[in-house]
Amino acid sequence: MERQTSDEMDGSAALKHRIANSTDSRERGDSGKNGSHSAADDESNYQEHHDGSVRLPDPNSSSINRIGAEGNSERKTSNEAQSQSLARSTPHASRVSARRARATTPQKLQDNYDYPDNYVNLDELAGPPPVENPNEGRLYQHTSLEETRSREQAYRRSEDIKRKTSREHPEETKKTEQKETQNISRLATQLYVISYLILFSLLGTLARLGLQAITFYPGAPVMFSELWANFGGSLIMGFLSEDRMLFRNEWGTPTYHQQIQKAKKQKQDEESGSGSGQSVDLQAAKKAHAATKKTIPLYIGLATGFCGCFTSFSSFIRDVFLALSNDLPTPLNHPTDYRTITATTESTVPRNGGYSFMALLAVIIITVTLCISALHIGAHIAIALQPFAPSLPYKFCRKVLDPVVVFLAWGCWLGAVILAIFPPDRNSAPPEIWRGRAVFALVFAPLGCLGRFYASLYLNGKIASFPLGTFIVNILGTAILGMSYDLQHAPLGGVIGCQVLQGIEDGFCGCLTTVSTWVSELSSLRRRHSYQYGAASVIVALCFMIVIMGSMRWTIGFSEIQCVK
């Protein structure tokens, strides 16, 4: 489909397309001379362009040389657009760019994280930003998640070659390692990342449960309250992906910000006629900044921990099934209109299968489209707030925040376990609500978040066009939620058993599955792969729900739960 679209381009568009590729090739060559890109990176880029869905012409072909004066004018325009918008593409490999950024930082300011290579398998970190052309240039280059994966595979192959070479020449390797000093060990870096994930999983779960509670009210226009949590998490994910100010200081020096200031000054000098011949490489600066930002444990905690736990794919599919089976609780606007159910403010009325199918489509279409829109709205907000957004202090984050979060995260998790054992309302009049509404969910939330994190590390890089890790955790979490829902409505285990099952649904399944990462992947994959991945996720998860929950719903039916949610 994408090749046909490329072949149908008219003459003017094709001309601009060839010019853009010629300029891109020349810029890559100049950047390689300055040390911004290696020869292997350029070769990988060129190969990926030819292996992708759109065939690009050879930058060195004779047709480029026949463009003439009109082509030179177009080339000048494209250079201006590319200097600002082409730079939005994802870095070749986060670890490569981060090392280069550290190499240009003074030694006394370095306080670096030694993170494992497989952290780049997190799609929250690997994918391109939602808005790749914030300045609305006429020409810009789109980078897909598949291209990022192939570059990472090429990087890993080069790393394997380096390891083999290091065994043959150990003396040279020791000299190189002495130059690249690491002040924060890999064990400490992993401890910081896990601690941030635990803390933000607790905060994300509380935010999701609280937002569900305040958005389900009589007369609510949207009856599936999980929608707003998914919308909010996707919006924050888009903001974090596009933001350039929160982590501006990078390794202690605002390198990217300094490059922007130099570019502005250079533009003013050129307008006044006193400009120098040296140009500022904003493309390399933006790539280095994006790569550095995505190696910071705080950023991983926000993107993977908070956004992933604020949203819930399993709850979304549960609402889809409940809409299909006509069991989705509906906040009534006028309860007196239904005299048989005036005792409650939420209920359902009988309807035929056609209406149930329309309700199923409504939940799917509204949730998916609104969450994808939220991802781009968050990116637009980050662009609009760039002149006003504050920056996190470098020394405070490295020296104070990271160690404090270790104690705070594990202490909060331990506190949730203690509250589950000794709830504050255990001696009060029944019913007990603390454990059912939040405490058990907080106990299970970090387990689900860490499970999703490690599944993404080891599985997302297996298939470039299909994020296997996210797909498996979403399906597995949906299946577990369906089984817990059935047991909760059997009912089994009395009030405590009901509360534990509710905690598994809201905490473990809610944090194991994610919508924010899912829509980020849908936006960054190539169009055909995106539709395949999105449709497979929804259809397979819904089939599991129909088998698990439908087998009980359409046989013996659901009973009232014994705990208060």
Side-chain angles (χ1 to χ4, degrees):
M1 181 184 299
E2 295 181 355
R3 291 185 179 180
Q4 293 176 357
T5 304
S6 177
D7 293 337
E8 292 173 357
M9 294 172 60
D10 58 8
S12 177
L15 177 64
K16 294 179 181 179
H17 198 62
R18 292 195 300 269
I19 295 171
N21 284 287
S22 175
T23 306
D24 186 29
S25 177
R26 185 169 59 256
E27 288 179 355
R28 287 201 304 268
D30 296 338
S31 178
K33 295 177 182 179
N34 295 327
S36 299
H37 299 288
S38 64
D41 291 338
D42 292 339
E43 182 179 357
S44 175
N45 247 345
Y46 185 80
Q47 184 65 28
E48 285 170 9
H49 283 171
H50 284 73
D51 294 338
S53 58
V54 179
R55 291 263 179 198
L56 302 181
D58 188 350
N60 299 321
S61 63
S62 58
S63 60
I64 301 299
N65 299 326
R66 296 194 300 265
I67 292 177
E70 182 180 357
N72 293 330
S73 175
E74 293 288 347
R75 183 180 296 109
K76 182 178 180 180
T77 305
S78 65
N79 284 335
E80 296 176 356
Q82 287 179 351
S83 64
Q84 298 180 357
S85 60
L86 187 63
R88 311 299 296 185
S89 58
T90 306
H92 295 177
S94 297
R95 194 172 179 88
V96 174
S97 299
R99 284 177 175 174
R100 288 169 182 163
R102 294 197 295 266
T104 59
T105 306
Q107 183 67 27
K108 63 180 180 179
L109 295 177
Q110 286 191 9
D111 197 4
N112 308 332
Y113 299 109
D114 184 14
Y115 59 95
D117 290 341
N118 57 2
Y119 273 27
V120 297
N121 287 334
L122 296 172
D123 288 339
E124 300 94 330
L125 313 182
V131 179
E132 298 182 84
N133 186 24
N135 297 317
E136 297 182 342
R138 293 197 303 166
L139 298 175
Y140 73 98
Q141 179 179 352
H142 168 68
T143 303
S144 64
L145 186 60
E146 294 92 329
E147 293 174 349
T148 305
R149 291 284 179 230
S150 61
R151 290 170 183 172
E152 180 58 31
Q153 291 174 1
Y155 164 73
R156 290 188 178 184
R157 287 193 294 268
S158 65
E159 287 295 304
D160 293 338
I161 296 174
K162 289 181 181 179
R163 292 189 186 98
K164 294 179 181 179
T165 306
S166 64
R167 298 191 189 101
E168 299 175 357
H169 305 282
E171 296 180 357
E172 296 180 1
T173 305
K174 289 181 180 180
K175 293 180 180 180
T176 305
E177 290 177 351
Q178 289 176 357
K179 295 179 180 179
E180 296 183 1
T181 58
Q182 298 283 350
N183 295 332
I184 300 179
S185 65
R186 175 165 298 189
L187 179 61
T189 301
Q190 292 176 320
L191 178 61
Y192 291 155
V193 170
I194 293 175
S195 300
Y196 275 113
L197 290 176
I198 292 174
L199 179 62
F200 283 115
S201 68
L202 300 177
L203 297 178
T205 301
L206 287 175
R208 171 161 44 86
L209 296 178
L211 193 58
Q212 288 177 0
I214 65 176
T215 54
F216 190 83
Y217 52 87
V222 178
M223 58 185 178
F224 42 100
S225 58
E226 186 67 32
L227 172 68
W228 299 116
N230 291 335
F231 175 86
S234 301
L235 186 141
I236 297 174
M237 175 68 79
F239 179 89
L240 292 173
S241 300
E242 190 63 38
D243 174 71
R244 297 290 184 269
M245 299 303 296
L246 286 179
F247 303 96
R248 182 184 66 178
N249 291 323
E250 300 175 356
W251 301 113
T253 304
T255 307
Y256 172 61
H257 183 71
Q258 292 175 354
Q259 294 294 324
I260 292 178
Q261 298 301 321
K262 289 181 180 178
K264 290 181 179 179
K265 183 179 179 181
Q266 182 183 9
K267 185 177 180 181
Q268 294 176 356
D269 293 341
E270 290 178 354
E271 291 177 354
S272 61
S274 59
S276 60
Q278 297 180 352
S279 61
V280 178
D281 192 357
L282 282 180
Q283 178 180 359
K286 289 181 179 180
K287 286 184 176 182
H289 172 78
T292 303
K293 178 182 71 173
K294 294 178 180 181
T295 63
I296 299 175
L298 176 58
Y299 181 87
I300 298 175
L302 288 169
T304 305
F306 183 79
C307 295
C309 297
F310 193 15
T311 61
S312 175
F313 184 86
S314 57
S315 299
F316 158 53
I317 299 298
R318 178 202 60 198
D319 290 345
V320 173
F321 174 81
L322 293 178
L324 176 64
S325 62
N326 193 23
D327 290 302
L328 187 64
T330 304
L332 299 179
N333 194 12
H334 303 289
T336 56
D337 293 342
Y338 306 95
R339 296 184 179 179
T340 59
I341 53 174
T342 54
T344 180
T345 58
E346 57 180 65
S347 182
T348 56
V349 294
R351 66 186 180 206
N352 60 39
Y355 290 139
S356 295
F357 181 73
M358 292 176 63
L360 176 147
L361 292 180
V363 176
I364 295 176
I365 294 174
I366 292 175
T367 301
V368 175
T369 54
L370 199 59
C371 290
I372 293 178
S373 300
L375 186 74
H376 292 272
I377 292 173
H380 295 165
I381 293 176
I383 295 172
L385 295 180
Q386 186 168 344
F388 316 103
S391 299
L392 297 176
Y394 168 80
K395 291 185 178 180
F396 174 77
C397 292
R398 300 297 196 277
K399 303 296 184 181
V400 179
L401 188 60
D402 289 348
V404 168
V405 165
V406 174
F407 295 97
L408 185 62
W410 293 94
C412 290
W413 194 9
L414 180 61
V417 174
I418 295 175
L419 285 178
I421 300 174
F422 306 104
D425 59 344
R426 67 181 306 176
N427 297 322
S428 304
E432 294 182 3
I433 60 176
W434 274 64
R435 291 189 288 196
R437 287 184 174 176
V439 175
F440 277 128
L442 296 180
V443 172
F444 294 112
L447 298 176
C449 181
L450 294 176
R452 171 166 50 84
F453 173 73
Y454 283 106
S456 299
L457 291 185
Y458 295 109
L459 297 177
N460 272 352
K462 300 295 183 181
I463 306 175
S465 60
F466 196 92
L468 192 59
T470 307
F471 176 79
I472 288 179
V473 296
N474 280 345
I475 301 303
L476 179 62
T478 301
I480 295 175
L481 185 143
M483 291 184 284
S484 300
Y485 193 92
D486 283 353
L487 295 174
Q488 194 179 33
H489 289 75
L492 295 175
V495 176
I496 300 299
C498 176
Q499 291 176 337
V500 171
L501 292 170
Q502 189 65 43
I504 293 175
E505 294 175 27
D506 294 334
F508 181 77
C509 298
C511 295
L512 182 64
T513 62
T514 176
V515 169
S516 58
T517 304
W518 183 60
V519 297
S520 177
E521 293 165 344
L522 293 179
S523 298
S524 57
L525 287 170
R526 289 172 180 165
R527 184 169 57 250
R528 179 167 58 89
H529 296 156
S530 177
Y531 276 99
Q532 291 174 349
Y533 171 60
S537 299
V538 173
I539 293 174
V540 173
L542 182 58
C543 289
F544 271 92
M545 274 298 192
I546 292 174
V547 172
I548 297 172
M549 294 178 61
S551 59
M552 181 177 179
R553 168 64 178 83
W554 291 309
T555 53
I556 62 175
F558 293 142
S559 302
E560 291 292 332
I561 61 175
Q562 299 185 11
C563 56
V564 179
K565 293 192 292 183

